Every structure is written in C-alpha cells, then in structure tokens.
C-alpha cells in the first residue's frame, strides 16, 4: 500500500469510496493492520482500558500516548496514523499546541481531539501551525462522567441539530476530519452529508465515509459484554491477518457495519 495521506482520504470521500480504520498500540500490530490494507491506524487513548486495565481512558498521559505512537510509527507500512490527545491535555490552546506537537514528533500524521464548538479556536490554531486535527463528536469517552455513562448521543431533535452545527463549524475552523461515536445512524448520515471532510464512524451506522473499531474488540479479545456496534471478525477467519483484511474489505464494500450494529 502506498502512503495514505489526508489528500488520499478526502479524495475517497469525494468519490464515494469508504476506508477502514483500526486501533493499534505497538509495532507488531501496526505492521499487521497496515499490511492488511487498513488505510488509517488510530493510536487511541483506549489503550488505557485495553492495555492498562483502567475502567476509563482518563488516566492516560501525553507521555504514554507519545510512546505508543512512536511504537506504531516504527511498524507502520503506509497507513495514516492518528493519535489521541488524552484527557485534559488540550484544556487551553497553548496546552493543545504543545501536546499535539509531541504526538506529531512521535510519528502521528493527525491528532484527534474530543469536544464541540468550544474547540473551534484550538483547531484553527493547530491548522495554522500545520497540525491536522480530527474532531470527535457524539459520545466522547473523556467526558463520560459528565455524560452520565456510555450513552448514545443526539437522539433528540435539539441535540441532533446542535451536532450538525458543531460539525460544520469545526470544519470551517480547520478540522481535517470528524469522528462520530454512538450517534443515531440517520444523524450520522446527515452530518456526513453536511461536511466536505471525511467522517469516521463507530456505532454511527453505515453512511459515514469510514469505520473504526478497537483492535481488541474486533478480534474478540476484550473480556465482558461486546458493544452493539462491534463485530468479531475472528469468528469467520482462521488467522489474525485474515481477520484484519476481512474487516478492511467489509468496510470498503459496505457490508460492515450492518443495520444490527447501528442505533436509531
């Protein structure tokens, strides 16, 4: 796979071609995920739960994110790397600049940041300084305590309208991508159609431009109850490599996610 860039993925949106995103946190899995044809690797602060055993993403530090981003960069075979800015690492624009620069220096090609319209100034300043940003809307795990748990967002008319407005504003402010988590499928389609930048979905139906899953979830490795939006790709494949490729192919041909993976 030739190196994937923002231009590559924006062109795919314009052409109506979907792309696949998976998390990875180390060199070995970064190599496998990218070789399987997944266009983007997310170094997620989900590592706080799947690697560290915490009950949320909140304890993860910038230093830990930079370490795992560097590991992923060493194993990557041409995928675009996106890295999360962790909890309270972008409370002010100055803080966001410093910490985003650390992740970019570690090997990220774009950073992901959770929040709504209040992020507009920060995203604009990042863009001016050559740091692409993906704005994460909907269920934002870093705000789980304020949201009252891991709940679907945007189900009422007012919050749905606000999410669309926030998406448009953040694109105008310089966001290069959006990520929608746990929002009704119809709303996700409306957001995707409202912006020209690529929209990645997780628990957001099949009409977004891309899908992302946590690696451990789609390989059936995560203990406990499986979220509704997850499919275990190991159930139909003999090897990890086959499962990773099957996921990428299913996202691109539109067979994943199915209606059973979305929310109304």
């Amino acid at each position: 796979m030739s190196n994937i860039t923002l231009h590559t993925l924006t062109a795919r949106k314009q052409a109506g071609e979907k792309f696949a995103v998976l998390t990875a946190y180390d060199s070995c899995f970064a190599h496998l995920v990218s070789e399987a044809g997944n266009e983007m690797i997310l170094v997620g602060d989900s590592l706080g739960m799947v690697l560290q055993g915490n009950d949320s993403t909140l304890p993860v530090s910038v230093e830990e994110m930079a370490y795992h981003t560097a590991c992923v960069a060493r194993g990557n075979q041409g995928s675009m790397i996106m890295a999360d800015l962790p909890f309270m690492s972008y409370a002010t624009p100055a803080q966001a600049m410093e910490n985003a620069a650390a992740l970019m220096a570690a090997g990220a090609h774009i950073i992901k940041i959770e929040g709504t319209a209040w992020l507009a100034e920060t995203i604009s300043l990042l863009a001016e300084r050559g740091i692409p940003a993906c704005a994460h809307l909907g269920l934002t795990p870093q705000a789980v305590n304020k949201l009252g748990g891991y709940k679907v967002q945007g189900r009422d008319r007012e919050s749905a309208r606000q999410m669309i407005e926030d998406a448009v504003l953040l694109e105008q402010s310089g966001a290069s991508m959006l990520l929608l988590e746990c929002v009704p499928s119809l709303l996700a389609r409306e957001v995707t159609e409202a912006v020209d930048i690529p929209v990645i979905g997780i628990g957001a139906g099949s009409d977004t431009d891309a899908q992302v899953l946590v690696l451990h979830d789609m390989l059936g490795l995560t203990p406990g109850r499986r979220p509704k939006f997850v499919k275990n790709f190991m159930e139909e494949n003999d090897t990890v490599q086959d499962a990773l490729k099957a996921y990428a192919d299913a996202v691109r041909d539109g067979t994943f996610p199915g209606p059973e993976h979305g929310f109304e």
Side-chain angles (χ1 to χ4, degrees), residues 152-169:
V152 178
Q153 303 295 306
R155 275 187 159 149
D156 63 274
R157 181 176 300 179
E158 176 57 27
S159 62
R161 181 194 62 78
Q162 187 62 58
M163 195 178 301
I164 295 170
E165 289 184 3
D166 289 343
V168 171
L169 173 63

Side-chain angles (χ1 to χ4, degrees), residues 178-203:
L178 296 176
L179 187 146
L180 301 178
E181 181 170 357
C182 289
V183 303
S185 299
L186 178 59
L187 173 58
R189 183 173 73 188
E190 292 174 341
V191 171
T192 302
E193 292 173 348
V195 297
D196 293 324
I197 54 178
V199 178
I200 302 166
I202 178 169

Side-chain angles (χ1 to χ4, degrees), residues 8-205:
T8 310
L9 300 182
T10 302
R12 293 205 180 178
K13 178 187 176 89
Q14 293 168 349
E17 299 173 353
K18 297 182 183 293
F19 61 92
V21 188
L22 273 176
T23 66
Y25 315 97
D26 61 31
S27 177
C28 176
F29 270 110
H31 187 101
L32 294 176
V33 168
S34 54
E35 274 212 327
N38 292 278
E39 287 86 352
M40 177 177 278
I41 296 172
L42 169 61
V43 188
D45 58 1
S46 50
L47 68 87
M49 301 169 80
V50 298
L51 297 189
Q52 298 175 342
N54 297 310
D55 61 5
S56 76
T57 64
L58 303 189
V60 179
S61 69
V62 173
E63 291 74 20
E64 288 167 339
M65 288 302 308
Y67 169 81
H68 286 280
T69 299
C71 291
V72 165
R74 286 191 284 269
N76 181 37
Q77 303 297 302
S79 298
M80 190 171 179
I81 298 173
M82 179 159 64
D84 276 336
L85 277 176
F87 179 62
M88 289 301 290
S89 67
Y90 49 95
T92 66
Q95 197 179 21
M97 300 300 117
E98 181 179 355
N99 292 325
L103 297 187
M104 297 293 285
H109 303 121
I110 181 171
I111 60 95
K112 182 164 71 65
I113 188 167
E114 296 183 11
T116 55
W118 66 269
L119 281 175
E121 179 188 4
T122 295
I123 286 175
S124 178
L125 291 171
L126 286 168
E128 287 176 0
R129 288 152 180 80
I131 300 177
C134 173
H136 183 151
L137 298 171
L139 172 60
T140 48
Q142 292 175 16
V144 64
N145 292 308
K146 184 174 185 295
L147 295 174
Y150 297 96
K151 300 178 180 179
V152 178
Q153 303 295 306
R155 275 187 159 149
D156 63 274
R157 181 176 300 179
E158 176 57 27
S159 62
R161 181 194 62 78
Q162 187 62 58
M163 195 178 301
I164 295 170
E165 289 184 3
D166 289 343
V168 171
L169 173 63
L170 293 172
E171 178 186 27
Q172 293 171 344
S173 300
S176 297
M177 286 187 184
L178 296 176
L179 187 146
L180 301 178
E181 181 170 357
C182 289
V183 303
S185 299
L186 178 59
L187 173 58
R189 183 173 73 188
E190 292 174 341
V191 171
T192 302
E193 292 173 348
V195 297
D196 293 324
I197 54 178
V199 178
I200 302 166
I202 178 169

